[in-house]
Amino acid sequence: MRAAEGRWYESLIYEIMLDIAMESDNISGIVRKGADAPFPPIEVKMGQNGLFYSNRGDINIRGNGQDIAEVDLLFTAGDGRIGFAEIVTSGSDLRELEEEVHYKKSLLGYLYGQPSVPFILFSSVDISRSSVIRRLVKETESVLIMTSSCEELKLLLKRASIKGIPRQPIRHPKLIDLSVLQPRRPFNYKNIHDRRRDRLMKEMMKRKSPDDFIKKDDMPPIVKKILFGAVNESASQALWEGRSFKIKEKRYTYEEISKEFTKIVLAIDLPAYEPVIYLRSKKKKEYLKVVVRKSGGFRVESKRTPRMTGFFLWLEILKPSLGADVAERYAEIFLQNA
């Protein structure tokens, strides 16, 4: 119900923005989405870089076929600059929202060559007192718009006005196609990723500390996860020596991991340089995403399945290439609290 309510509210804001755009010169165009997006979308493939639609008409930014960001609303301002909006129905996870907004601002700023990116945050709950939201609103060209709650808005609906089938794509003078809004600065995500990976690997093997990694460089700010690669047998043994994790009360040591998983991929989430380990199951077509608990040890955070097409394909093509020396150094730097 909460997910359905969120999508309904997001669609409502989209429709309202279309009406507002007709009355304001500050919005020159709004990108089609949802029922107005073309269907079927372009099939996900490795090597894709740019803006694409999902099966549900969501606007995604892809790098090497994986979705690196999703924007709830994409628009062009009156001066031609690209802006975006995020739409929320809950006051939870605001710190995570702040990180996402900063990443999307830097990403869109880079792709479209803009020093600043207009941003609107729509909310159906009062989040104005949050210190996180206050910081966001203070930033250049950022604004918070709060509406009535979803419960209040739903009371305005009349059964007679609700159609049983989705509407057809509408004609609107300010609706624009995603195809005409592709990045002004073309990019090759895989090349940028590999350059950052190679640089970090070099620093790791010099036995530098994480503090030495967290510094500005000349790399484009679009890579937020580094896949070092899959480990070989000796590296797996070095990685799990003295370590284990639990799934539904079952503890997995190196022996159990070797029996139940065919591949181990080492990764790092940026910008905090948090370790991530992906385990390929022998029984199912999926990867377990294993992260370090704040209290110590490991936990399984989520799964990666073929539904996450681009990223899943990237994990699938990785061959065991990392040796024990890399695994030991990775563990020494990033798994100290595990």
Side-chain angles (χ1 to χ4, degrees), residues 266-283:
L266 302 184
I268 287 292
D269 276 347
L270 302 177
Y273 288 84
E274 297 172 339
V276 180
I277 300 174
Y278 295 97
L279 302 176
R280 176 62 155 94
S281 173
K282 286 184 178 180
K283 299 177 182 178

Side-chain angles (χ1 to χ4, degrees), residues 10 31 40 42 47 72 94 98 102 104 106 115 142 151 175 186 188 197 272 294 305 314 324-325 335:
E10 184 178 318
V31 175
I42 298 174
D72 293 337
L94 293 181
E98 182 182 32
H102 286 160
K104 292 171 187 177
S106 63
S142 297
E151 291 302 319
L175 265 180
N188 187 315
R197 179 203 60 200
K294 291 183 179 179
T305 67
W314 196 345
D325 55 340
L335 304 182

Side-chain angles (χ1 to χ4, degrees), residues 7-204:
R7 290 197 66 81
W8 171 76
Y9 181 69
E10 184 178 318
S11 299
L12 178 63
I13 295 298
Y14 170 70
E15 299 286 349
I16 291 173
M17 285 290 284
L18 289 177
D19 289 342
I20 293 175
M22 292 296 294
E23 303 174 6
S24 174
D25 293 333
N26 291 326
I27 300 175
S28 61
I30 295 178
V31 175
R32 294 179 178 273
K33 64 170 293 176
D36 293 328
F39 189 85
I42 298 174
E43 183 181 354
V44 179
K45 295 180 181 178
M46 293 284 289
Q48 288 175 334
N49 300 292
L51 277 66
F52 295 83
Y53 283 115
S54 72
N55 287 328
R56 300 191 302 186
D58 295 327
I59 302 169
N60 293 332
I61 303 174
R62 287 183 195 158
N64 194 34
Q66 68 167 318
D67 294 333
I68 57 177
E70 176 189 323
V71 293
D72 293 337
L73 199 66
L74 195 64
F75 60 89
T76 53
D79 58 5
R81 287 181 303 152
I82 307 301
F84 73 106
E86 291 295 300
I87 303 168
V88 299
T89 56
S90 170
S92 61
D93 301 325
L94 293 181
R95 196 169 299 279
E96 184 177 325
L97 171 67
E98 182 182 32
E99 293 176 358
E100 289 182 6
V101 169
H102 286 160
Y103 173 70
K104 292 171 187 177
K105 280 186 174 183
S106 63
L107 177 60
L108 291 172
Y110 172 78
L111 296 181
Y112 292 97
Q114 296 179 192
S116 64
V117 177
F119 168 66
I120 307 173
L121 176 59
F122 291 94
S123 176
S124 63
V125 295
D126 187 354
I127 54 178
S128 61
R129 296 179 180 85
S130 165
S131 59
V132 172
I133 299 304
R134 288 178 180 176
R135 285 198 301 269
L136 278 177
V137 174
K138 283 182 180 179
E139 294 176 4
T140 306
E141 295 180 281
S142 297
V143 65
L144 168 66
I145 299 177
M146 293 187 298
T147 70
S148 301
S149 70
C150 286
E151 291 302 319
E152 293 173 305
L153 292 171
K154 282 186 282 188
L155 292 176
L156 302 175
L157 293 174
K158 306 299 181 184
R159 184 171 293 277
S161 67
I162 302 174
K163 297 180 180 180
I165 58 174
R167 66 164 173 75
Q168 295 296 312
I170 63 172
R171 292 186 177 182
H172 189 287
K174 288 194 175 181
L175 265 180
I176 56 179
D177 294 326
L178 192 61
S179 59
V180 303
L181 212 65
Q182 289 300 322
R184 296 168 187 157
R185 179 181 284 167
F187 68 104
N188 187 315
Y189 186 89
K190 181 67 164 54
N191 285 351
I192 298 171
H193 167 276
D194 290 351
R195 285 168 54 204
R196 188 171 287 281
R197 179 203 60 200
D198 294 346
R199 178 178 294 185
L200 179 55
M201 187 86 75
K202 186 177 180 180
E203 298 297 305
M204 279 175 50

Side-chain angles (χ1 to χ4, degrees), residues 211-252:
D211 292 338
D212 296 323
F213 305 150
I214 306 175
K215 57 185 178 182
K216 290 186 177 181
D217 55 34
D218 58 348
M219 296 283 191
I222 65 177
V223 174
K224 59 179 181 179
K225 184 187 295 290
I226 294 178
L227 297 178
F228 289 113
V231 303
N232 61 27
E233 187 64 28
S234 62
S236 176
Q237 189 170 359
L239 180 70
W240 295 107
E241 185 176 359
R243 300 182 178 90
S244 63
F245 68 96
K246 293 171 68 173
I247 304 178
K248 295 181 179 179
E249 303 306 316
K250 179 180 178 180
R251 183 162 296 281
Y252 284 76

